[in-house]
Amino acid sequence: MAADRELYERLVADEFTGPRFELFREELWRYGWRAMLKWMGDGTIIERCREHDILFSAPWPEIEEIKRRPDIREEIASFCVHLALTRFIELLEVGYWKPDKGATLRTFFIGSCLFAFRDAYKNWAAGYRRNLKLFLGPAASGELVEREGRGLGQEHMAVLRETLDLILEDASMEARAICELMLTMPGGTQEEVGKKLGKSRKSVERHISRVRARALNLAAAGTILRPSTSSAVTA
């Protein structure tokens, strides 16, 4: 804390310009960048935000997607740290940071990063959800039922609708998009479905496996009839 106090006094004397200030900015950038990447990578980022009373909706499928993809983590971290650093310097310039409050400069900056993560996450999630909705409709499961249930009686249609709703009840939008494409691309490969969604074959395979596992668990519990083990999409 004494070292931070001395550094802050020198930055104020330099009017937040010059080589010392630039080195300070670079060090903070690296510190924030590494922290954000680590917490997004191990999935603890939301917990860190909540520790600072930064509350917002973050569905677990989206957090899992962030954990899985380093390109997304880097995109969010870049947006986050840039925004946080800008705000942080502004607060320093008006004397908001006080060493007698007990927070070091790094601790204070991490708080800024977590607040910025909320905005960075929302910015990314808006685009992510928008892209997925291009493949879904306002009532995707209903549309799937109408397409797959043509020629069936009303009773069978009702059963099919209820079954699909149950299977996809907790599915992510990405999983729903994959199921949509599976039914519109009979005989298509997982790689082809992935290309349309900008995902790898392995990603498609993982989502399909989760949906199948849920269907089989529901069938084992007697909630639905046992689904066919065949797939509309081949490997």
Side-chain angles (χ1 to χ4, degrees):
M1 188 64 69
D4 277 0
R5 182 194 299 271
E6 181 181 353
L7 173 60
Y8 177 69
E9 290 174 353
R10 290 182 177 181
L11 292 174
V12 171
D14 293 340
E15 297 182 344
F16 296 95
T17 60
R20 193 194 331 267
F21 174 67
E22 292 304 321
L23 180 60
F24 174 66
R25 282 174 55 92
E26 290 176 10
E27 290 177 350
L28 284 180
W29 177 279
R30 287 194 295 270
Y31 182 67
W33 171 264
R34 290 169 182 166
M36 293 297 104
L37 288 181
K38 179 182 182 300
W39 293 336
M40 283 189 282
D42 62 20
T44 61
I45 185 67
I46 302 303
E47 180 181 346
R48 298 284 183 174
C49 288
R50 287 173 179 166
E51 290 172 354
H52 286 72
D53 293 325
I54 305 169
L55 308 177
F56 55 95
S57 175
W60 72 262
E62 293 178 358
I63 300 303
E64 288 297 310
E65 183 73 355
I66 291 172
K67 286 174 60 178
R68 187 180 67 82
R69 292 183 53 184
D71 59 319
I72 293 178
R73 294 198 297 273
E74 291 179 1
E75 174 189 341
I76 294 176
S78 180
F79 184 104
C80 170
V81 178
H82 174 76
L83 184 60
L85 192 55
T86 300
R87 293 174 176 174
F88 179 71
I89 297 302
E90 289 174 352
L91 292 175
L92 288 185
E93 289 178 338
V94 297
Y96 190 82
W97 178 77
K98 304 292 184 182
D100 55 0
K101 289 185 177 181
T104 66
L105 285 170
R106 285 192 171 194
T107 300
F108 188 45
F109 178 60
I110 284 299
S112 296
C113 285
L114 291 172
F115 274 103
F117 174 80
R118 177 186 57 189
D119 297 334
Y121 169 79
K122 289 181 177 180
N123 180 69
W124 168 79
Y128 177 77
R129 296 167 189 172
R130 186 167 54 249
N131 288 337
L132 288 182
K133 285 180 180 178
L134 292 176
F135 299 95
L136 300 169
S141 61
E143 293 171 4
L144 300 186
V145 169
E146 295 297 334
R147 182 163 52 252
E148 292 300 299
R150 292 191 184 102
L152 298 177
Q154 290 299 314
E155 183 178 349
H156 287 87
M157 283 284 288
V159 172
L160 181 56
R161 183 184 300 277
E162 183 179 355
T163 299
L164 279 172
D165 285 343
L166 286 170
I167 293 173
L168 297 176
E169 183 178 19
D170 295 324
S172 65
M173 286 190 293
E174 189 172 39
R176 288 173 175 265
I178 289 171
C179 291
E180 167 79 8
L181 287 178
M182 285 171 60
L183 293 176
T184 59
M185 295 173 59
T189 67
Q190 292 176 0
E191 185 175 3
E192 289 170 342
V193 169
K195 285 182 178 179
K196 284 186 172 291
L197 288 171
K199 308 296 178 186
S200 68
R201 184 188 67 80
K202 285 291 186 182
S203 176
V204 172
E205 183 180 354
R206 280 193 295 268
H207 282 287
I208 292 174
S209 294
R210 289 171 185 166
V211 173
R212 282 179 180 161
R214 174 170 171 76
L216 291 172
N217 287 336
L218 291 173
T223 307
I224 64 172
L225 294 176
R226 184 176 177 84
S228 168
T229 55
S230 63
S231 173
V233 177
T234 63

